[in-house]
Each structure stands twice: as C-alpha cells, then as structure tokens.
Amino acid sequence: MVNKKNIILALISFVFIFGTGDLFAKRRKHPIKHISLFVGLYQDVNIPKAAVKFGRSGTYKKCAKLQFNPKEKILRINPTRVNDCSLFISDKKTGNIIYEFRLDVKKTNVAKTAKEIQGLLRDIEGIKVKILNGRVVVDGEVILPSDISRIFSVVNQYGSEASSLVRLSPMAQVKIARYMERAINNPEISVKAVNGIFLLEGFANSKDEKDRAFILAQAYLPDQVTRESDSVKLTKKSIKDKIINLINVKAAPAPAPKKIVQIVVHFVELNKDYQKGFRFQWTPGLDPKGGLAFSTGSRGPSSIATTITGVITNLLPKLNWAKQHGHARELQSASIIVQDGQKGVLNATSQIPYQTVTKDGPKTEFADSGLSTNVTPEILGERSDSIKLQTSFNIKNFSGYTAQGPLISSKVINTTLIVRSGQSAAVGGLISSSTSTGYNKTPPGVSNPIISLLASKDFQKKQSQFVVFITPIIKSSASAGAEQIKRKFRLKN
C-alpha cells in the first residue's frame, strides 16, 4: 500500500520542478530578446529605457564586446567568438533588470551568402558580387532603374551581412533625360545628364511652366540604394535634389490692344388711344338781355300797355356722337463704339424752357427731355464672342404743360446681361394701360336752364408699350464699317 506521505512529497516536488518557471515568468517585468550574431559582424540594438550609466552583467564577455551611444541610446554588440551567452542591462540605482538578451554567436559563412545573392541576381547585367572585409558587397552599374529596387530588396534580406554600391549607368541617365524631355513637351526646354546630375535648360513662357517642368523631371528620377553612416540598415535615399533647374523665364510680351465693341440700341414705343363719346342735350334758357317795356296804345287817351321781351337759347335739342382712334409709334436708334472694358456714354437730350415766379421776379428754367445711355461692354475670353453688358438707360419724354411747368415722363432701366456678338436682346420693357368712363357731365357754357334734359357718356382707353433692344458687335478696329457708310451716303475721301 502506497504511503500517503510519500504521495504528498511527490506532488510537492512536481509543483516545484514544473511550476517555478511560470512563477518566475510572472514576476519578471523585463522582456527577453534572442539575438543571432555572426563573428565579425556587429549589430545595433535600441535600449531607450537605459540611463547614461547602467549596470551590465551576464556571460556576454565570453562571446562579445559592447559599445554604447548615450545620445541615441543605441547599444552595439560586436561578437568575438562562437558561443551562447547572456546579457543583462540593469538600473544602477534600483538594481532592477531593464533588458535581458540571449546571444547566439555563430561562425560567418560569407561565401555561402555571396553565392545565394549571386544566384538571386544572376539575370541582372552589369553587377558583380564581391567579399570585402568579411561582408558581401554588390557593385556595378545597371541600365534600368527597376533593377536597383530589386537589388535593394535582395540585399536587405541579409541585413548587415551584405551591402550594395550599385548605381545607374550613364547610358541609363541619358535615356531618363530623354523621357523627361518627352514629358515636359516643350521644344525650347532640354534635359542633359552630366555625372549623375540632370540639367534643365532653355526658356519657359511663365514661372508656372518652369515649375511644371521641374516637377515632371522629378517624377522620372529613380531611387538610389545607399548605406547610412550610423546604421547597418540599407535604405532608399532620394536623388531628387540632383536636378538643377537652369530654365529662364521669357519676358512677358506687351499686352495686345483691347478689342472694339459697337453697341447698337433701339428704343421702340407704341401708343394706342381710343375715345368714344355720346351726349344728348336739351337745356332751353332765357337770354339775360331780355327786359320789361311800357307803351300807349290807340284805344284811349289814358290806356297803358306792358311788354316783356326775351330770347330763349338752346331751344332745340342737340345730339353729339364721336368716335376716335389714335396710333403712334416712335423709334429711336443709338450707336456707340466702345473699347473693351471701358464705359461708353451717349446723351441725346433737348431742354424745354418754362417760366417760374420767384421773389426776385420771373425766371426761365429748363427741363431735360431725351435719351441718356451708359454701356460698359466686357468680352468674356480672348476667343469668346460672348459679351457682358452693364447697361443704364434713362428716357425722358415731354407729355404736356401744366401750371407749374412742362410735364416730363421718365423711364429708367439698369441691368447686366450677356449677349453674343451680332445677336440682339430685349433689355427691358414697360406696358401701361388706362381706362376712364364719364356719365352726364354738364357741358360748358350752360347756366340756369329753364328745363334741363341731359344724357352723356364718355369712354377713353390709352395703351402704351416701351421696349429697349441692344445689339453688341465685336469690331476688328474702330474704322471697320467706314467704307459701307461712305457708300451708303455717297461720301468721297
């Protein structure tokens, strides 16, 4: 029968043997990093948590030597012999371990690495794989920029065991320069490749065109694989700073003369009047010149006779009926030639005099009547025939006289529109209509009738319509069309 005491001791031993590793792992607060090294090839490790002066312990002295860069917190491990050892980085103040490294140093097989790299890059012409100072070096010149990227990818797989000194061939640089010229597409700009530097030469029409050529040239530059001075890592270093822009910008040409625009304006006004009147009048009355007279007759010596005399006016009834139609159409045209972007003013007015009475006596004043036109044309684009017009029209018409002076009607139009050359547009219009009706109005000259029978009706309707048409025409010069006018009016030079 198994002793219970022996079973308990066996269980305690099992827990102690197999469980203590997990217990220590839970207590450990620092990471463990395994590093594989080769003799003669150092490796840099970042230890940002380490102080300037830190503690070092472990068996690392059997296989490697250490160098520390306090500014960048980089620890360089230089393996010296084949062995397995440990390295502990600790804080001197607290004694706590910050980093723990397990170093596995092996013998370097440079020939094997060189053979593998040569096998991966055997289809690229112009390169050689060499072994220098215990490291594999890829050197030579290639034609295609894509080969440099491939070499970089292969060398990067071997870390610090290999490096690349491959560069572009001068023939490749000449070919890239031709691609740059083709992309810039300006016969006055050329690209030359000199000692790995690309020169942009020639003339550009503007600064924007010069900057555009520089940007296109940068797009065709490949990347170069180089080795950083403070690290063993292979990186891509741009050579876009190897473009020298020697392009000159041409002096701006003198601005072309502005175009001439002819503005033709038509003012059309249509008036319609209709009047219908009917009146029946019978208003007899006595003439105020009538009177009373006394006379003697022959019937007796003492007889007296009285006579009343008078004149009856408007004894006969009157019937008046009238119907009138009136049509009037007024058309005014104005034409002015204006330079593009300039304001053109055309005034065709007349002054109507009238008398006023002031404290100093009678005075003559004037009222303006006529047409005032302000037009500013602006051609939209050098090759466009669309014209933007800023217009202002003021039309004043004489309507009649009043006791205070002449009656002037005014119509004002202010607008902005876009019209193509040679086409017309209705800028604005005004339609007015008025209707009036009158019944049984006492005719003038009738007062105190004996009998008044009056029936009348007046109907009046007035309509008016006002429209402005504008037509812009782009002219090659101010004298364009002069010959046509001479032929029309039979003028000679």
Side-chain angles (χ1 to χ4, degrees):
M1 188 173 182
V2 181
N3 192 356
K4 293 182 179 180
K5 185 177 181 180
N6 294 334
I7 294 175
I8 293 172
L9 292 175
L11 291 174
I12 293 174
S13 300
F14 179 81
V15 172
F16 180 77
I17 294 172
F18 294 99
T20 53
D22 295 336
L23 292 176
F24 284 120
K26 292 180 181 179
R27 291 180 182 177
R28 185 189 304 115
K29 296 182 179 181
H30 59 273
I32 298 177
K33 185 176 182 180
H34 296 269
I35 301 176
S36 297
L37 301 171
F38 296 92
V39 176
L41 300 178
Y42 62 84
Q43 185 170 345
D44 292 342
V45 180
N46 293 324
I47 50 174
K49 297 181 181 180
V52 177
K53 294 183 179 181
F54 55 86
R56 309 176 187 181
S57 59
T59 61
Y60 68 91
K61 293 182 181 181
K62 297 180 181 180
C63 61
K65 294 181 180 181
L66 303 180
Q67 292 178 349
F68 180 64
N69 186 348
K71 292 183 179 180
E72 299 182 3
K73 298 294 184 67
I74 295 177
L75 179 64
R76 175 166 293 181
I77 304 174
N78 190 3
T80 56
R81 65 182 67 179
V82 178
N83 202 343
D84 293 334
C85 52
S86 61
L87 172 61
F88 299 95
I89 304 299
S90 60
D91 190 351
K92 280 191 173 184
K93 295 181 179 180
T94 60
N96 296 330
I97 297 176
I98 305 174
Y99 298 98
E100 181 178 347
F101 300 101
R102 302 291 172 87
L103 307 179
D104 182 12
V105 181
K106 300 177 181 179
K107 186 177 181 180
T108 306
N109 191 354
V110 181
K112 181 180 178 182
T113 302
K115 188 175 181 180
E116 291 178 357
I117 293 177
Q118 189 172 10
L120 293 172
L121 303 178
R122 65 176 178 270
D123 56 341
I124 299 178
E125 297 180 0
I127 62 172
K128 294 181 180 180
V129 181
K130 304 176 182 179
I131 300 176
L132 299 175
N133 197 17
R135 180 177 296 172
V136 180
V137 178
V138 182
D139 192 9
E141 295 180 350
V142 295
I143 297 178
L144 300 178
S146 58
D147 292 340
I148 295 182
S149 299
R150 181 179 176 185
I151 294 171
F152 166 78
S153 300
V154 172
V155 172
N156 192 35
Q157 300 297 324
Y158 291 89
S160 59
E161 297 183 34
S163 61
S164 175
L165 300 177
V166 178
R167 59 193 178 277
L168 280 176
S169 172
M171 294 299 297
Q173 295 178 2
V174 173
K175 191 173 183 179
I176 293 173
R178 300 287 80 80
Y179 285 138
M180 291 180 182
E181 287 185 357
R182 189 182 304 174
I184 295 172
N185 194 22
N186 189 338
E188 297 185 1
I189 298 177
S190 62
V191 183
K192 295 181 180 179
V194 180
N195 196 22
I197 298 176
F198 295 91
L199 302 179
L200 304 183
E201 298 177 336
F203 294 90
N205 295 323
S206 63
K207 186 178 181 301
D208 293 338
E209 187 175 0
K210 176 181 178 180
D211 297 339
R212 176 179 175 273
F214 183 74
I215 294 173
L216 291 175
Q218 283 183 331
Y220 281 85
L221 281 178
D223 291 328
Q224 204 173 35
V225 180
T226 60
R227 177 178 297 279
E228 295 181 355
S229 59
D230 56 349
S231 175
V232 296
K233 296 180 180 179
L234 295 179
T235 59
K236 285 185 177 182
K237 183 179 180 181
S238 175
I239 61 169
K240 294 183 178 181
D241 55 347
K242 291 190 177 182
I243 294 181
I244 299 177
N245 194 348
L246 301 179
I247 300 175
N248 297 319
V249 180
K250 294 181 180 179
K258 293 186 177 180
K259 295 183 180 180
I260 302 297
V261 182
Q262 181 184 6
I263 307 297
V264 181
V265 185
H266 296 285
F267 305 89
V268 181
E269 187 170 7
L270 180 64
N271 295 320
K272 291 183 180 181
D273 293 335
Y274 175 75
Q275 186 175 2
K276 182 179 180 182
F278 166 79
R279 185 175 72 229
F280 173 79
Q281 176 184 349
W282 187 53
T283 55
L286 292 175
D287 191 350
K289 296 181 180 180
L292 180 64
F294 296 93
S295 61
T296 57
S298 59
R299 295 182 182 180
S302 60
S303 62
I304 298 173
T306 303
T307 303
I308 300 175
T309 61
V311 180
I312 299 177
T313 60
N314 297 328
L315 181 61
L316 299 177
K318 296 179 180 180
L319 177 63
N320 295 331
W321 182 86
K323 183 177 182 181
Q324 296 179 354
H325 293 272
H327 298 274
R329 182 174 182 178
E330 298 180 4
L331 176 63
Q332 295 183 3
S333 297
S335 178
I336 184 173
I337 295 179
V338 187
Q339 193 175 24
D340 180 22
Q342 300 297 323
K343 182 179 180 181
V345 179
L346 178 62
N347 294 329
T349 60
S350 60
Q351 293 184 333
I352 302 174
Y354 62 96
Q355 296 289 332
T356 60
V357 179
T358 63
K359 62 180 180 178
D360 298 332
K363 182 181 179 182
T364 303
E365 295 186 0
F366 297 90
D368 293 334
S369 176
L371 172 65
S372 297
T373 304
N374 296 331
V375 180
T376 304
E378 181 182 351
I379 301 176
L380 302 178
E382 184 178 355
R383 300 183 180 179
S384 175
D385 62 346
S386 298
I387 305 171
K388 180 180 179 181
L389 299 174
Q390 295 182 358
T391 60
S392 175
F393 304 103
N394 189 357
I395 300 95
K396 295 182 179 180
N397 293 328
F398 173 73
S399 301
Y401 276 102
T402 62
Q404 289 76 23
L407 183 62
I408 304 296
S409 64
S410 179
K411 303 178 181 67
V412 180
I413 299 175
N414 294 322
T415 185
T416 301
L417 70 161
I418 297 177
V419 186
R420 297 185 65 179
S421 177
Q423 297 185 356
S424 301
V427 177
L430 178 64
I431 299 176
S432 61
S433 177
S434 63
T435 305
S436 62
T437 306
Y439 296 94
N440 298 335
K441 292 183 179 180
T442 303
V446 177
S447 61
N448 300 324
I450 300 174
I451 300 175
S452 177
L453 293 177
L454 180 65
S456 66
K457 179 180 179 182
D458 281 335
F459 176 77
Q460 188 173 9
K461 184 177 181 181
K462 294 182 179 181
Q463 289 181 336
S464 65
Q465 184 175 2
F466 170 74
V467 183
V468 178
F469 296 93
I470 187 169
T471 305
I473 304 172
I474 298 177
K475 297 287 186 179
S476 58
S477 64
S479 61
E483 295 297 331
Q484 183 179 1
I485 295 175
K486 290 180 180 180
R487 288 195 302 268
K488 181 177 181 181
F489 292 97
R490 297 179 181 178
L491 299 176
K492 297 181 179 180
N493 294 332

